[in-house]
Amino acid sequence: MADDLDALEPWLEGYLTKLKPAARRRLSLKIGQAIRRSNTGRIARNEEPDGGAMDPRLPRKPRKSTKSGRVKRKGKMFRRLRLVRNMKLRTDPEGVELSFIGGAARVASEHHYGLESFIGKTHDGRTIKARMTERRLLGFGNADRDEIIDAAAKHLGD
């Protein structure tokens, strides 16, 4: 995939040298928004950037149930993490950076790199920690190259 992005650079570079810095910044914003849209969709589908499925959640011991008697464990992972308000897009005429911010950055790095995380405390005050499964959250997928080209072509066509 890195080879595809390296092949994309000379194509865009020819156009970028002809643009003013303000126009380059607008173009990098459009490309960044396309990448963010792609990554949020991929996180929602629980897919890694290479297209494979993320490792599923680990089964937990049953928790106390609600009044209705059921424990809510359905749904996708990272429901709040994939919100746009938790992703920061930094652009300049030279490039784009997409990252998580705030508390979402801590949770994302624990899962992205497979770090140890605080889970809770026991009744006697001891802390419980667990090592998270490594799940790549941000990255370039197979369809990202096409989205970058489409965003650049649309911006340059305007």
Side-chain angles (χ1 to χ4, degrees):
M1 190 70 216
D3 295 334
D4 292 341
L5 291 173
D6 291 338
L8 182 64
E9 283 181 25
W11 179 80
L12 274 176
E13 190 174 336
Y15 290 108
L16 291 177
T17 55
K18 297 174 185 174
L19 294 176
K20 294 181 182 177
R24 276 188 280 168
R25 186 178 178 110
R26 282 193 305 273
L27 176 58
S28 53
L29 178 66
K30 295 293 183 187
I31 290 173
Q33 288 170 340
I35 292 170
R36 180 172 57 194
R37 194 176 316 111
S38 166
N39 278 288
T40 55
R42 193 171 30 252
I43 291 171
R45 293 186 306 271
N46 287 343
E47 290 179 0
E48 299 237 353
D50 61 1
M54 287 184 185
D55 291 337
R57 292 179 181 165
L58 295 177
R60 291 186 182 176
K61 292 181 182 177
R63 295 182 176 210
K64 292 183 180 179
S65 59
T66 61
K67 287 183 181 180
S68 65
R70 93 181 166 108
V71 177
K72 185 177 180 184
R73 290 287 297 153
K74 296 180 181 178
K76 301 286 185 175
M77 297 183 291
F78 310 120
R79 286 188 326 243
R80 292 186 185 149
L81 192 64
R82 66 179 185 239
L83 297 175
V84 173
R85 69 177 180 217
N86 292 325
M87 291 185 175
K88 179 69 175 177
L89 185 63
R90 293 181 185 92
T91 61
D92 60 27
E94 304 303 317
V96 179
E97 179 184 345
L98 179 65
S99 62
F100 290 99
I101 58 172
R106 181 185 56 82
V107 172
S109 65
E110 289 168 356
H111 285 274
H112 190 86
Y113 298 111
L115 304 176
E116 192 174 63
S117 175
F118 172 78
I119 300 297
K121 290 191 174 192
T122 61
H123 64 281
D124 60 352
R126 291 181 293 156
T127 60
I128 302 170
K129 292 185 177 182
R131 182 158 304 278
M132 298 294 156
T133 305
E134 186 175 333
R135 299 176 180 99
R136 290 192 51 218
L137 298 174
L138 295 180
F140 287 101
N142 297 331
D144 288 337
R145 181 176 183 268
D146 296 333
E147 287 195 33
I148 291 171
I149 290 172
D150 290 344
K154 184 177 179 185
H155 181 77
L156 294 172
D158 290 345

